[in-house]
Amino acid sequence: MKRIGVIGGGQLAWMMASAAKKLGVSLVVQTPHLTDPAVPLASDVIQAAIADGSATAQLAKICDVITFENEFVDLDALGKLEQQGICFRPKLSVLAPLLDKYDQRCYLRDIGLPVPKFIAVENRESFAQLGAEIGWPLVMKARRHGYDGQGTVILRDLPALEAAWEKWGCPSVLIEEFVPFEQELAVIAARSLSGEIAIYPIVQTQQENQVCHRVIVPADISPALATECQQIAQTLLNSLEAVGIFGIELFLAPGDRLLVNEIAPRTHNSGHFSQDGAKTCQFEQHLRAVSDLPLGSTELIGQGALMVNLLGYESSHDDYQAKRQQLAQIPSARVHWYGKSESRPGRKLGHVNVVLDQKTDHEPVSATLSKIAQTIESIWYPHQD
């Protein structure tokens, strides 16, 4: 397989393009903006909206297979192309139960995976019973197109719920219980066409305002919990007959109880550590899966790894060169800068990976990595007086 089409041209496609060069395959992207990160590295570009089915038909003419950078796609338009023999990996039938968050919750429940209590709410008349069915506080999520904390809000009473719902335009929403978790975990797992599954070490993600700030690898959990996380990933990927990389977010609730939070049918932020911290990075692994190549080793390099997101904290066109140079001087640190032309609060501009070569005798790996994360953030974010 020589040419792989990617619907999307952001930083995930950009990192996929770097991995494609290593494998000797060409990447062609469909993306609306020629300033998007993946454009300079792509072998060809179809400039069009992500959900433009006619543009995807053009993409298919010059590619052997088409995959996805994100899930903001028009399944109906793509379905017509799939019926014509165009090859999508993962298949559209894999994406179908996952794109709507309520449908995703139902699918996970129906295949026996543990999820928080949830309900779909269509109208104001349903609000009164939520306290009894779900309890307060609760979480309201947009059913489609939510990411990086957008489309998710934690609500503590009925007036707050009504106000937030009206602000969103009174749509159908997913309501679920608020989980007082002890840790947030993630599993990055790949499945090949033949059914081979490769799972990376379980990671701990640390979020602020529902946006991932840090990923620590491996998560400080028991071997039994790590095995349970792996089993959840295997159950999901085999049930879907998925092909490619999937990110599976989990809550670790009191009593060592795991609950599946969300599924991303693509490469995922919590797997970025693998670029420098694993024998096969998640982007190469995804391309291996969709190209029907053998999956690579997911073994961790060194004793542990850290990923810290570099999030925008102001509106500017600064490339932050001086700060990036400081970050690069941290031992074993590598800065991945996405080359975006504009910074705004909360926008992902890049990330820093650190690989811990040697385990310290006086503290756990996670504690050492947390200290390094604090150093990175003290350099990146403006000092508060």
Side-chain angles (χ1 to χ4, degrees), residues 46 59 73 105 119 150 166 200 311 320 322 335 339 341 351 366:
I46 303 292
L59 181 67
V73 296
R105 275 278 182 269
I119 190 172
Q150 300 182 47
E166 288 177 2
Y200 288 85
L311 302 174
Y320 303 101
V335 180
S341 59
H351 66 270
S366 59

Side-chain angles (χ1 to χ4, degrees), residues 154-301:
I154 299 169
L155 303 164
R156 302 197 173 277
D157 53 38
L158 185 57
L161 171 62
E162 291 176 334
W165 186 66
E166 288 177 2
K167 184 178 179 180
W168 283 12
C170 306
S172 173
V173 293
L174 170 67
I175 299 291
E176 62 184 31
E177 67 173 311
F178 175 81
V179 178
F181 57 82
E182 296 177 348
Q183 289 189 53
E184 290 183 271
L185 306 174
V187 189
I188 300 296
R191 187 178 184 274
S192 69
L193 277 167
S194 66
E196 176 190 8
I197 291 178
I199 302 175
Y200 288 85
I202 312 304
V203 309
Q204 179 188 3
T205 64
Q206 297 178 349
Q207 324 273 332
E208 295 179 16
N209 299 318
Q210 290 87 52
V211 180
C212 181
H213 279 237
R214 299 163 221 95
V215 173
I216 292 175
V217 195
D220 187 11
I221 57 175
S222 68
L225 274 173
T227 298
E228 189 176 345
C229 291
Q230 293 168 352
Q231 290 170 341
I232 287 171
Q234 290 170 341
T235 297
L236 174 69
L237 268 59
N238 283 331
S239 173
L240 289 167
E241 297 184 355
V243 174
I245 280 274
F246 279 60
I248 304 164
E249 299 177 357
L250 303 147
F251 293 130
L252 177 57
D256 282 352
R257 190 167 60 104
L258 288 171
L259 298 170
V260 181
N261 179 21
E262 290 186 5
I263 309 297
R266 52 171 169 78
T267 56
H268 193 256
N269 193 204
S270 58
H272 288 355
F273 77 90
S274 63
Q275 290 173 292
D276 305 294
K279 290 189 174 179
T280 308
C281 85
Q282 66 164 338
F283 301 98
E284 177 185 339
Q285 194 79 291
H286 182 70
L287 295 176
R288 284 180 169 276
V290 303
S291 302
D292 199 18
L293 295 171
L295 299 183
S297 170
T298 58
E299 185 180 345
L300 195 63
I301 296 171

Side-chain angles (χ1 to χ4, degrees), residues 22-178:
K22 178 180 177 181
L23 287 177
V25 299
S26 298
L27 227 62
V28 183
V29 299
Q30 174 183 330
T31 195
H33 307 296
L34 294 181
T35 55
D36 284 343
V39 169
L41 292 183
S43 60
D44 206 348
V45 179
I46 303 292
Q47 186 180 6
I50 299 302
D52 186 335
S54 60
T56 304
Q58 296 178 39
L59 181 67
K61 290 178 181 177
I62 56 175
C63 295
D64 301 299
V65 64
I66 295 176
T67 190
F68 307 90
E69 181 200 42
N70 60 56
E71 52 271 39
F72 305 144
V73 296
D74 184 341
L75 284 185
D76 291 335
L78 297 184
K80 296 173 184 176
L81 300 178
E82 193 171 56
Q83 290 171 5
Q84 297 168 16
I86 291 174
C87 180
F88 294 100
R89 291 179 183 157
K91 295 183 295 185
L92 302 186
S93 60
V94 173
L95 300 182
L98 302 179
L99 301 191
D100 179 298
K101 285 188 170 62
Y102 175 72
D103 292 345
Q104 183 184 120
R105 275 278 182 269
C106 292
Y107 183 82
L108 295 171
R109 177 199 61 198
D110 292 347
I111 64 172
L113 294 182
V115 295
K117 290 187 292 184
F118 69 97
I119 190 172
V121 169
E122 308 280 349
N123 52 56
R124 189 186 306 274
E125 287 67 36
S126 306
F127 289 172
Q129 65 194 43
L130 292 178
E133 289 193 29
I134 303 296
W136 300 99
L138 53 73
V139 181
M140 182 172 76
K141 291 183 176 181
R143 291 179 60 164
R144 287 291 308 270
H145 303 304
Y147 68 100
D148 287 350
Q150 300 182 47
T152 298
V153 60
I154 299 169
L155 303 164
R156 302 197 173 277
D157 53 38
L158 185 57
L161 171 62
E162 291 176 334
W165 186 66
E166 288 177 2
K167 184 178 179 180
W168 283 12
C170 306
S172 173
V173 293
L174 170 67
I175 299 291
E176 62 184 31
E177 67 173 311
F178 175 81

